[in-house]
Amino acid sequence: MNKREFIKLAGLAGVAAIANPSGLFAGEQHKDLLAAKAPFELPPLPYAAGALEPNIDQLTMEIHHGKHHAAYVKNLNDALKSSPLASKSLAQILSAVTAAAPAIRNNGGGHYNHSLFWSLLSPTKTAPSAKLKSAITAAFGSDEAFRQKFGDAAKGVFGSGWAWLIVKKGGQLAITSTPNQDNPLMTHLAKEPGTPILGLDVWEHAYYLKHQNKRPDYIAAFWNVVNWEKVSALYEEALRK
Ligand code: MN
């Protein structure tokens, strides 16, 4: 490719990025994540690693995505080589996995959770849809009460894990948490199964460089970068299931 062609291509990619402001895995692309099969690949971040500064710092994003997430992808592919789940989609793997397959549990969860997490963050300010807003008010009383309860779930994870906003089978919203890299799609393992539409990684690797032991500061910073357009799209997708 010559320089002129490269500039033209780069320009087109820029247009595509503007046309898809909610980033990777918006709408159909989240279905692509769930439908994907081995060998799994590390998805690119849908924004620059430093784009979430000062709320989430660039070095944390680089290590979190380029080292931690990359390792989950590699280890998942390795573990699947000798597994009966090898030919299954990521959605099928997550719903079938049990405590008897710890490498697939930890790395399959790690790959899904992080792929989702990157798409749930945004450098630009977004707002939830009117429908999601009223569902949150109906379920939790108010937006503040929701954030309080979600934050309590995140603070309450002992050691490493995730806090989640999920859509339950009947369409109701609920807040839950999971240890390590488990998630609510793991029907055999989650205390409250459902479809995640918002998740917060509270492993120390997600915040220690900037916030050290102050997990509440990290949770407060997280609210500044939530991609509510994406959460709203996932809510619609979950209701259609
Ligand atoms: Mn993580």
Side-chain angles (χ1 to χ4, degrees):
M1 184 187 316
N2 66 31
K3 196 178 168 194
R4 201 161 141 208
E5 285 168 334
F6 175 77
I7 289 167
K8 196 175 159 199
L9 253 185
L12 285 173
V15 169
I18 292 161
N20 180 20
S22 31
L24 272 187
F25 309 130
E28 294 300 307
Q29 294 173 54
H30 179 251
K31 288 182 194 150
D32 294 343
L33 171 66
L34 288 169
K37 294 181 177 182
F40 293 97
E41 287 173 23
L42 179 67
L45 286 175
Y47 33 72
L52 305 175
E53 294 262 12
N55 295 291
I56 303 181
D57 63 285
Q58 180 169 344
L59 185 58
T60 294
M61 288 299 290
E62 285 170 356
I63 296 171
H64 200 178
H65 173 259
K67 304 290 182 193
H68 291 279
H69 188 177
Y72 296 128
V73 172
K74 184 191 179 298
N75 294 335
L76 174 61
N77 287 331
D78 288 348
L80 282 170
K81 282 175 191 158
S82 56
S83 165
L85 296 173
S87 63
K88 303 288 188 194
S89 69
L90 187 56
Q92 290 168 326
I93 290 168
L94 296 175
S95 70
V97 77
T98 67
I104 294 174
R105 173 188 190 173
N106 294 332
N107 295 293
H111 174 46
Y112 175 81
N113 296 349
H114 289 84
S115 299
L116 181 70
F117 186 54
W118 311 134
S119 77
L120 293 170
L121 305 176
S122 169
T124 53
K125 209 161 169 53
T126 57
S129 66
K131 192 170 168 184
L132 176 58
K133 218 171 173 178
S134 63
I136 285 174
T137 306
F140 306 107
S142 69
D143 187 49
E144 290 93 82
F146 158 68
R147 288 180 189 224
Q148 182 73 46
K149 196 175 176 198
F150 186 95
D152 288 348
K155 287 172 210 161
V157 173
F158 183 76
S160 299
W162 291 74
W164 303 99
L165 174 63
I166 62 169
V167 178
K168 298 202 288 186
K169 227 176 186 162
Q172 317 96 306
L173 292 173
I175 289 167
T176 187
S177 64
T178 54
N180 302 313
Q181 295 297 355
D182 285 2
N183 66 48
L185 295 176
M186 295 177 173
T187 49
H188 298 288
L189 297 164
K191 64 184 176 213
E192 189 152 35
T195 303
I197 63 171
L198 180 64
L200 176 58
D201 185 345
V202 293
W203 284 57
E204 284 185 348
H205 69 220
Y207 62 87
Y208 206 85
L209 290 178
K210 186 175 172 76
H211 298 290
Q212 296 83 45
N213 59 321
K214 300 181 287 287
R215 190 185 285 182
D217 291 2
Y218 163 66
I219 296 168
F222 164 73
W223 292 121
N224 295 330
V225 290
V226 171
N227 186 342
W228 285 106
E229 286 176 17
K230 175 67 186 171
V231 181
S232 303
L234 289 172
Y235 178 56
E236 290 295 330
E237 191 182 308
L239 290 180
R240 285 196 298 269
K241 273 216 285 198

